[in-house]
Amino acid sequence: MDAAANYVPVRVLDMIGVDLNVYRFDYDLTFAVLLMNGDGTIYHRYGSRNSANASDRLSMTSLVRLLRETLADHAAYTAQPAPKPAMPRRVVEEIPPLARKIARRTREGKKQECIHCHTVNDTERDFEREQKRWSREATIGMWPRPEKIGLTLDRDEPRRVLAVAPDSAAFRAGIREGDRIERAGEEQVRSEADLQWALEKATSGPAEVAIEYRRGEGPPVRAVIQLKEGWKLASELEFSWRASMWELRPRPGFGGREVAPEKRAGLGLAAAGMALEVTYIVDWGDDAATGENIKKAGLRKGDVVLSVAGKSDFASELHFQTWFRYTRKPGERVEFEVLRDGARRKLEITVLQ
Amino acid sequence: MKSSLFVICTLASVLTDASLAAGEDAGSIPWRSDLEAARKEALRASKPLLVVFR
């Protein structure tokens, strides 16, 4: 297969000028692919991740398979093109919060920086907040993973179901291990991202998603996945990798890096459990008050935070940051245990908005 | 076969954080950087568009 000759390949590193009504994908990803017709019809999406790391759900096998299969989809579409009506062009740099920022930088004579993909989500959220229509639930429910309906898909052959969670929505719809997902909603499913896009378009619930699957060599089976209120919402760990996480409130006012495993014993720490070395206390922007708050309570750079509100089983710093934003409430008292100069001490803050 | 391997290797390089430059150096995939021009080219050539966002 000479895929290079069969596609027009383009690599986009800057979101300036990208029509958001055409090129829709999970903008928090650091790697995403669209396979599409030049008329704006998207055949398939590729690119997905979980909280563990950015490449767990990617593989060359699945990407190459998708490149091959999409050539047939393109041939079929070209024989009977059906472009959707064009929507007005919408670009991130014209959405008011970013447009103002760019104008300000221009007035100050500063060069415009590259606009990363995740900036689209940041800008949309800022604009929705300005218009008082931002929804925390919509943010933490974006691009649901197949696991939200009970499916674990094969990374290398994403249509194949590796496991179905007992009593999940997918299980109740009749899907079982080994089945192959063919369609979801209006989407032909050839990748995990295709299924995520179908789920993204469903409401947070109660919702129904039509699905078509095959078992062995049998005919396609049509079923409806019934989803309950709130089905989309990602857990704090599931959401923790997203750049969008940083914008949720309330915030602890500091951050840092996890103490390296080889250094833990030297500090008298067990191999597992929270050990977050404070490398910064926020002293900038709208959030400076949160940094001032924790500083007044006694936190210093270099302290190692061992627990927060008695909890220490965080998988990562991002997990801690997300947990704080998900579970702490403004006005609440929160105790931190920290290690400084070999001694453990406790400090307490009142959480700010 | 050679071009197939090039495709796979170059896309593999795009998949990894450390190898964007290596992807460009490999030279087997003529990556465009102008999305709108690439879209028009795809229409003219009746080829599908492969858009990688990094």
Side-chain angles (χ1 to χ4, degrees):
Chain A
M1 179 193 70
D2 192 346
N6 287 319
Y7 284 88
V8 174
V10 56
R11 189 160 49 199
V12 180
L13 305 175
D14 186 345
M15 290 301 284
I16 290 281
V18 174
D19 188 342
L20 305 178
N21 279 333
V22 175
Y23 303 94
R24 295 189 67 180
F25 58 96
D26 185 345
Y27 299 119
D28 275 334
L29 293 171
T30 50
F31 174 81
V33 177
L34 295 178
L35 301 175
M36 58 189 291
N37 189 285
D39 72 4
T41 301
I42 292 177
Y43 301 133
H44 298 290
R45 291 168 170 81
Y46 185 86
S48 187
R49 67 159 290 175
N50 57 23
S51 63
N53 63 58
S55 57
D56 248 21
R57 303 308 303 166
L58 305 176
S59 80
M60 283 314 300
T61 305
S62 59
L63 180 54
V64 171
R65 182 193 299 273
L66 183 63
L67 285 169
R68 287 182 176 139
E69 291 177 342
T70 302
L71 291 177
D73 296 336
H74 176 68
Y77 180 87
T78 305
Q80 271 191 311
K84 289 181 180 161
M87 293 173 70
R89 187 168 178 271
R90 186 163 186 268
V91 290
V92 68
E93 66 270 26
E94 289 176 5
I95 299 175
L98 186 59
R100 289 196 300 271
K101 189 178 170 190
I102 291 171
R104 190 170 60 244
R105 289 184 65 84
T106 304
R107 279 196 305 274
E108 292 168 354
K110 292 178 181 166
K111 193 182 165 197
Q112 179 50 43
E113 295 166 338
C114 176
I115 301 294
H116 297 167
C117 298
H118 70 82
T119 304
V120 174
N121 283 342
D122 298 345
T123 304
E124 298 275 27
R125 184 197 49 250
D126 290 346
F127 188 43
E128 287 168 4
R129 276 197 174 127
E130 281 181 9
Q131 297 198 318
K132 311 275 186 224
R133 59 184 176 84
W134 178 73
S135 153
R136 182 183 176 100
E137 287 69 29
T139 295
I140 64 176
M142 63 169 81
W143 289 87
R145 289 198 36 76
E147 285 80 359
K148 300 309 289 183
I149 60 171
L151 293 178
T152 303
L153 302 181
D154 187 327
R155 187 179 70 164
D156 290 337
E157 191 186 340
R159 275 184 292 185
R160 198 164 73 86
V161 175
L162 275 187
V164 187
D167 204 32
S168 63
F171 186 89
R172 287 192 294 276
I175 301 171
R176 297 292 182 268
E177 179 186 337
D179 290 347
R180 279 175 295 125
I181 307 297
E182 301 279 340
R183 301 191 67 85
E186 298 173 336
E187 305 304 312
Q188 183 187 30
V189 175
R190 292 198 186 279
S191 70
E192 199 159 285
D194 284 342
L195 178 56
Q196 285 187 267
W197 173 231
L199 297 177
E200 164 75 3
K201 288 189 285 185
T203 65
S204 193
E208 292 184 345
V209 175
I211 203 142
E212 191 177 297
Y213 64 92
R214 280 180 193 268
R215 183 163 299 160
E217 299 304 313
V221 179
R222 292 191 177 88
V224 175
I225 294 193
Q226 307 276 355
L227 297 156
K228 295 174 183 168
E229 183 72 37
W231 70 274
K232 273 187 167 184
L233 304 183
S235 71
E236 61 213 38
L237 184 59
E238 288 168 336
F239 193 70
S240 62
W241 66 270
R242 291 186 175 275
S244 303
M245 175 277 289
W246 293 102
E247 296 302 320
L248 296 180
R249 296 182 170 88
R251 304 168 184 173
F254 71 94
R257 61 177 168 235
E258 292 147 49
V259 173
E262 64 274 16
K263 291 185 178 172
R264 294 179 73 109
L267 292 171
L269 301 174
M274 185 184 198
L276 179 68
E277 182 187 351
V278 178
T279 57
Y280 69 88
I281 295 176
V282 178
D283 61 357
W284 62 85
D286 298 340
D287 227 18
T290 63
E292 192 58 33
N293 190 38
I294 192 94
K295 212 167 166 181
K296 275 187 186 159
L299 191 75
R300 294 184 198 163
K301 280 188 200 174
D303 285 351
V304 177
V305 179
L306 302 176
S307 71
V308 184
K311 182 175 169 66
S312 63
D313 58 342
F314 298 106
S316 62
E317 193 224 345
L318 293 177
H319 185 198
F320 153 67
Q321 293 281 357
T322 315
W323 170 86
F324 193 94
R325 288 158 167 79
Y326 263 51
T327 64
R328 300 302 94 184
K329 301 282 180 280
E332 180 182 54
R333 301 288 292 171
V334 175
E335 188 179 77
F336 295 77
E337 185 183 16
V338 304
L339 182 69
R340 182 187 303 159
D341 301 330
R344 291 177 184 236
R345 60 188 73 202
K346 291 189 173 170
L347 52 95
E348 196 175 64
I349 62 166
T350 299
V351 177
L352 299 182
Q353 179 63 47
Chain B
M1 189 61 191
K2 188 181 175 188
S3 63
S4 171
L5 283 174
F6 262 119
V7 170
I8 291 168
C9 292
T10 309
L11 284 174
S13 74
V14 174
L15 277 167
T16 62
D17 285 330
S19 56
L20 194 60
E24 287 162 355
D25 291 341
S28 61
I29 292 187
W31 290 107
R32 279 63 157 176
S33 56
D34 184 332
L35 181 56
E36 184 57 14
R39 187 185 71 76
K40 288 177 179 165
E41 182 186 343
L43 275 177
R44 274 196 310 273
S46 285
K47 287 183 178 179
L49 193 58
L50 165 64
V51 194
V52 173
F53 292 90
R54 283 281 297 174

